Amino acid sequence: MGLKEDALKLHEDNKGKLAVSSKVEVKDKNDLSLVYTPGVAEVCKVIAENPEEAYKYTFKSNTVAVFTDGSAVLGLGNIGAKASLPVMEGKSILFKQLADIDAFPICVDTQDKEELIKIARNIAPGFGGINLEDISAPKCFEIEKDLQDLGIPVMHDDQHGTAITVLAAMINAAKVVDKKMEDLKVVVNGAGAAGIATVKLLNCFNIDKKICMPVRDIIVCDSKGIIHRGREGLNDVKEQLAGMTNRNDVSGILKDALKDADVFIGLSKGNVLTAEDIKVMGKDAIILAMANPIPEIMPSEALKVAKVVGTGRSDFPNQINNSLAFPGVFRGALDARALRINDEMKIAAAKAIAGCVEPTVDNILPYTLDKNVVPAVAKEVARIAKETGACEK
Amino acid sequence: MGLKEDALKLHEDNKGKLAVSSKVEVKDKNDLSLVYTPGVAEVCKVIAENPEEAYKYTFKSNTVAVFTDGSAVLGLGNIGAKASLPVMEGKSILFKQLADIDAFPICVDTQDKEELIKIARNIAPGFGGINLEDISAPKCFEIEKDLQDLGIPVMHDDQHGTAITVLAAMINAAKVVDKKMEDLKVVVNGAGAAGIATVKLLNCFNIDKKICMPVRDIIVCDSKGIIHRGREGLNDVKEQLAGMTNRNDVSGILKDALKDADVFIGLSKGNVLTAEDIKVMGKDAIILAMANPIPEIMPSEALKVAKVVGTGRSDFPNQINNSLAFPGVFRGALDARALRINDEMKIAAAKAIAGCVEPTVDNILPYTLDKNVVPAVAKEVARIAKETGACEK
């Protein structure tokens, strides 16, 4: 059978992928009187007196809502809440298997920004964190920003999970080609949620050393070419991008941007580059072409010129997949009982992921299901959360 | 240790009671490509084309939201969403253990009626049903009523779970004292959510025979005494109650209502009756005194006069607990893929519960954890759902 048939069969046979389970067995009336009335009332009273006790006596300490409106699901676009369920169940079982987090899909039947914010706030009592998922730009930025004071970590994975994994890949790819991160000239193709978050994270790379030492220069391209300060018709987000990138204010198209670049980061659509196009890049070029399922340039083509090539796909070396990031980031945030996930924690996660392998040309990142990744990431994220005040109001 | 210490220890040791689990193991990249990208996209596409397919390919066919605003939790009152979590987790594990339903707490941080309705509607895509729980009256009535067109069964358990179980208890108690249901004169003390739902269900008892043959007479009392058509200051709900009960328009206090009554149903507060008070009742009186933890009259006192006595407590015979009803009702509704839970299904549930025991004075209802109850109830509820059009729009 093909992928489609296999996937449909697996989902039909199991009626989905996620279930709930009980951590305590109710064998008799005595058990019942403890887990339910009347005993449970005593637990409620303790939490009513001090809401923080919910972390001690309920599953809140280990739950994450996988929250979506289905407006930007995978490459499928706006397919709505119900059709997004298989992805959210999939994400939830990865949370469970990789990080032992009790994640549950909350697929929401409105796509109105203010409504989504209100609902996320209102369902928060039962959750230790919220993973925003597959919500379209630009509202994803505003929703995430608004929810930062909620008192539990809220992270839009399409932005930051991707940014963290890309940063991890860059750290190790730079090692392989023996270049310093701060010397790199980087071209990012794609100014969507993932592209913007990646640029922002690269811009504050090394923030944990209290020195802002970003990569040398970043140029961002969208479908209209290079984003620069003089370009007309930029929206707010791209205006902001123009201000923080492209230090020489270069204009032109993607191929112009690539001149002397050390790294190409593709977060857009497939088949936009040839080997000829990337010949203008600097020596030992790094290509991270993450468009799915067809990368911006196929590895066989890219390797005619570049030194290190990664994609989003599992059937080529160097898969760059945010499953390396989100389970450990939330595990660490929950373990530290962080109130938010700050940039320092994201950078710590990227470094920890990178630290899980001795990088080579064909192995810049650990295997997606490598059991060593989550503990390493969680430990660093929790440590940095405490150090940087992310656990304090 | 005492009940409080035991309950706190159990909840702390397990960090709550509920967890999620995966129904499929992700062992390698091939598994990952089926449960997550790229294979999952094929499943999403099928559902995007026909939303009904969510029942085939996702866990929607087996999920129930245990939805509360924490405004009327057990006897504790308005303790809020976070403090209600232990109850909602408890309910969810009972759903799992008794009916293999994947229930998940949705504890909502608003107590505004319109907001609650909006949130329940918006989170519905991921759920096969919604169990409204511990929401205060009168908004619980309006919320439940508004949600009946949602396309998934929505039931307020505090109303109907209780009403179903009380009806089951009455069916068997009437058998024990050899009286016909339709001849009974019933006094209900308590005009809250459970009291009102019980009266309504008794009023349409036998509806499945297409003959409305309610019990002979019902008199409802609240804290101000008997509810009758001439009483001043009745709110809408009580006005409606007055219209459907008390056929002789009797006024007075609870003790006046009890004269010649066959059944006393207590859904109010403890210690309101003595043996002396119930002496005016008819021969072989039935007392169902469900106030928790102190019944309206203690069994030892009631049995001086009455023939059959039930309470809400597990340490006396004849425990009347809605755990007998909600798991099987939702199991049946999900199995039939009912769009709503109608009165006929509730009556079918009550009869099925009653049918699980050969009733005696000390055993009018099955044991709460009896494994035979849910299959029996679910089968009847599903059958009646199909017969009465509850599966059609």
Side-chain angles (χ1 to χ4, degrees), chain A residues 12 14-15 17 19-21 23-24 26 35 37 44 56 58-59 74 83 89 96-97 102 108-109 122, chain B residues 12 14-15 17 19-21 23-24 26 35 37 44 56 58-59 74 83 89 96-97 102 108-109 122:
Chain A
E12 184 179 356
N14 295 286
K15 293 204 152 212
K17 296 166 290 196
V20 305
S21 57
K23 293 191 276 191
V24 292
V26 185
V35 304
T37 55
C44 293
K56 188 169 167 188
T58 79
F59 74 167
L74 306 175
E89 281 193 64
K96 186 66 186 186
Q97 177 165 330
D102 297 309
V108 181
D109 217 4
N122 277 325
Chain B
E12 183 178 358
N14 294 286
K15 292 201 153 211
K17 294 167 289 197
V20 305
S21 57
K23 292 192 275 191
V24 291
V26 185
V35 304
T37 55
C44 294
K56 188 169 167 189
T58 79
F59 73 168
L74 307 174
E89 281 193 65
K96 186 68 187 185
Q97 176 165 331
D102 297 308
V108 181
D109 216 4
N122 277 324

Side-chain angles (χ1 to χ4, degrees), chain A residues 155 160-161 163-169 171 181 197-215 325 329 341-355 376-377 380-385 388:
Chain A
M155 184 177 94
H160 309 292
I164 290 165
T165 319
V166 169
L167 179 55
I171 291 171
M181 283 288 284
T198 301
V199 169
K200 287 187 177 171
L201 200 59
L202 290 175
N203 249 314
C204 56
F205 180 69
N206 271 338
I207 204 173
D208 58 328
K209 288 180 184 159
K210 309 288 175 211
I211 321 160
C212 193
M213 195 195 287
V215 298
V329 170
I341 294 169
N342 60 28
D343 288 334
E344 290 91 330
M345 291 155 75
K346 293 171 201 159
I347 291 168
K351 290 181 175 176
I353 295 168
V377 173
E380 278 307 288
V381 168
R383 184 176 71 81
I384 297 296
T388 55

Side-chain angles (χ1 to χ4, degrees), chain A residues 109-120:
Chain A
D109 217 4
T110 175
Q111 301 198 334
D112 177 78
K113 186 183 73 185
E114 296 304 329
E115 281 298 312
L116 288 166
I117 289 171
K118 233 190 270 181
I119 295 167

